[in-house]
C-alpha cells in the first residue's frame, strides 16, 4: 500500500503492534477530549494566502539553539521506542540525522556524551495522568526492555499491577517536590541548553525564562496528563507573547500535516516537534518509515509555503492565517 500521508502510519501500527503497546502510544488521559482537540484545533485555523509571488525557490532552513537544521520540523523526546521496533531510538536518531534535523533527548549526561545538542526537561508530570487504556490493559514493559533512565539504580522492577504497571512504578520514583529551583540545578550538571517542555501558560513562560530555560516547548504531553487543557496550538500564542522574543518557543501535539507546521510558525513558533508520527512510522517500517514521515512533512510544508506566497520562514507571518478568536462575534438580533 502506498503511504500518502503521515496519519496512515497509525492504522498500520495498530495492526502490527500488540494492543497494549498500541494503546500506550495512541491513547490520552481520561475522556481524551484534549487528545482529539490537539488535532481538531488545527482545522479551525484558516489560511490567508498571498498570490503572484515568485516562489520558484523555497528556503526552509532555520537555526535552533545555534544549530542549523534543514527545516523547522524536529523529533520530540518519546519514551520506550523499542516497543515499536527493535532498533528503537537508534533508528529514529539515524532518520533525524539523514533529514538534517534534531531529535531531543531525555537523558542529560548520556545525551551530552553522545553529541546531542539539547535536553528537554519535562515539567508536567509530578504524577502520571489517568491513562485509562493503560489501566484496562494493566500496562507493563515487555520483559526484554528496561527504562534506561532508571538503569543502575536500585528502584525495583515494573511488575503487573491491578491498574497500570507503569503508573504504579513511576509513582514510586517521581519526586513530587520538584520545582523551578531544579531547573537551575540541572544547569550545573550539563552545558547543553535546556528546553522546558510542558508549558501552556504565560505565567509559567515567565518563570521558565527567569530560571534559565533556553527555550520553551508548548506541550500538554500528547494529551496524556491533564484532560481538558487547551490544544497546544491554542495555547501557543499566549506563550509566544509572554516570551517576548527572549527565548525561542516551540510546540508539539497534534501535528500531522505540513499545513499544521505552517500554522504553528504563523502563530510565532520557532519550530514544531512530532512524537506519535515517529513511533507509528517506526512500528510500520523502522528507520525507513521515520525518514518517510519527515520527508512527507517537509514536502507538504514546502508546498504550503509556496501556495501561501512565502519563500522563507521569516516571510511566514500572523497575517497568513485567521483563527477563530480573530473573527468578530456576531450576536443575532432579538426576535420581535
Amino acid at each position: 500500500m502506498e503511504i500518502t500521508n503521515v496519519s496512515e502510519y497509525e492504522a498500520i501500527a495498530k495492526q502490527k503492534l500488540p494492543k497494549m503497546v498500541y494503546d500506550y502510544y495512541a491513547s490520552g488521559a481520561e475522556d481524551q477530549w484534549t487528545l482529539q482537540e490537539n488535532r481538531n484545533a488545527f482545522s479551525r485555523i484558516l489560511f490567508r494566502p498571498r498570490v503572484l509571488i515568485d516562489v520558484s525557490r523555497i528556503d526552509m532552513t532555520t537555526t535552533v539553539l545555534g544549530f542549523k537544521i534543514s527545516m523547522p520540523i524536529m523529533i520530540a523526546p518519546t519514551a520506550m521506542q523499542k516497543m515499536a521496533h527493535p532498533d528503537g531510538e537508534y533508528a529514529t536518531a539515524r532518520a533525524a540525522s539523514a533529514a538534517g534535523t534534531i531529535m531531543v533527548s531525555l537523558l542529560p549526561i548520556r545525551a551530552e556524551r553522545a553529541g546531542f545538542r539539547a535536553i528537554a526537561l519535562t515539567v508536567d508530570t509530578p504524577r502520571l495522568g489517568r491513562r485509562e487504556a493503560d489501566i484496562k490493559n494493566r500496562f507493563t514493559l515487555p520483559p526484554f526492555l528496561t527504562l534506561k533512565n532508571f538503569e543502575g539504580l536500585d528502584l525495583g522492577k515494573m511488575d503487573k499491577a491491578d491498574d497500570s504497571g507503569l503508573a504504579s512504578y513511576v509513582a514510586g520514583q517521581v519526586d513530587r517536590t520538584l520545582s523551578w529551583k531544579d531547573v537551575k540545578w540541572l544547569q550545573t550538571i550539563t552545558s547543553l541548553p535546556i528546553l522546558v517542555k510542558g508549558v501552556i501558560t504565560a505565567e509559567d513562560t515567565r518563570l521558565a525564562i527567569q530560571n534559565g530555560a533556553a527555550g520553551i516547548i508548548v506541550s500538554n504531553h500528547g494529551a496524556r496528563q491533564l484532560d481538558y487543557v487547551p490544544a497546544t496550538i491554542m495555547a501557543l500564542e499566549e506563550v509566544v507573547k509572554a516570551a517576548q522574543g527572549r527565548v525561542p518557543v516551540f510546540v508539539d501535539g497534534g501535528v500531522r500535516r505540513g499545513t499544521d507546521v505552517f500554522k504553528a510558525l504563523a502563530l510565532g513558533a520557532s519550530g514544531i516537534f512530532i512524537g506519535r508520527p515517529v513511533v507509528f512510522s517506526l512500528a510500520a517500517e523502522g528507520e525507513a518509515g521515520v525518514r518517510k514521515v519527515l520527508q512527507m512533512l517537509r514536502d507538504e510544508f514546502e508546498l504550503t509555503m509556496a501556495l501561501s506566497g512565502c519563500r522563507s520562514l521569516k516571510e511566514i507571518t500572523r497575517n497568513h492565517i485567521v483563527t477563530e478568536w480573530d473573527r468578530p462575534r456576531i450576536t443575532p438580533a432579538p426576535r420581535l
Side-chain angles (χ1 to χ4, degrees), residues 70-71 75 91-103 290-291 294:
S70 65
M71 57 185 174
I75 295 178
T92 302
R94 290 193 296 264
S97 178
T101 190
I102 288 175
M103 172 183 172
V290 181
R291 287 191 184 212
L294 292 170

Side-chain angles (χ1 to χ4, degrees), residues 27-40:
S27 63
E30 298 188 354
D31 295 330
Q32 303 192 95
W33 181 87
T34 298
L35 181 69
Q36 300 302 318
E37 186 68 1
N38 270 358
R39 283 293 306 125
N40 294 340

Side-chain angles (χ1 to χ4, degrees), residues 284-297:
E285 296 180 342
E287 179 183 339
V290 181
R291 287 191 184 212
K292 189 168 184 179
V293 156
L294 292 170
Q295 187 63 51
M296 284 192 291
L297 287 174

Side-chain angles (χ1 to χ4, degrees), residues 162-182:
D162 291 337
D163 47 23
S164 164
L166 175 66
S168 299
Y169 180 72
V170 171
Q173 320 306 334
V174 173
D175 183 354
R176 299 182 190 178
T177 69
L178 289 175
S179 65
W180 288 108
K181 71 179 186 301
D182 296 293

Side-chain angles (χ1 to χ4, degrees), residues 187-209:
Q187 294 168 56
T188 69
I189 66 168
T190 179
S191 61
L192 295 180
I194 297 167
L195 301 174
V196 175
K197 175 179 175 289
V199 171
I200 59 172
T201 65
E203 296 91 330
D204 283 338
T205 299
R206 289 188 282 268
L207 284 170
I209 294 170

Side-chain angles (χ1 to χ4, degrees), residues 15 19 35 68 73 92 97-98 100 105 117 127 151 170-171 183 210 217 243 248 250 259 265 277 283 308 315 318:
Q15 293 176 343
K19 182 177 185 300
L35 181 69
K68 188 173 182 179
I73 301 166
T92 302
S97 178
S105 170
R117 300 301 183 108
R127 296 175 59 180
E151 191 177 65
V170 171
V183 179
Q210 290 169 18
I217 303 177
F250 308 94
T259 51
L265 268 61
S308 297
E315 292 187 356
R318 185 63 168 78

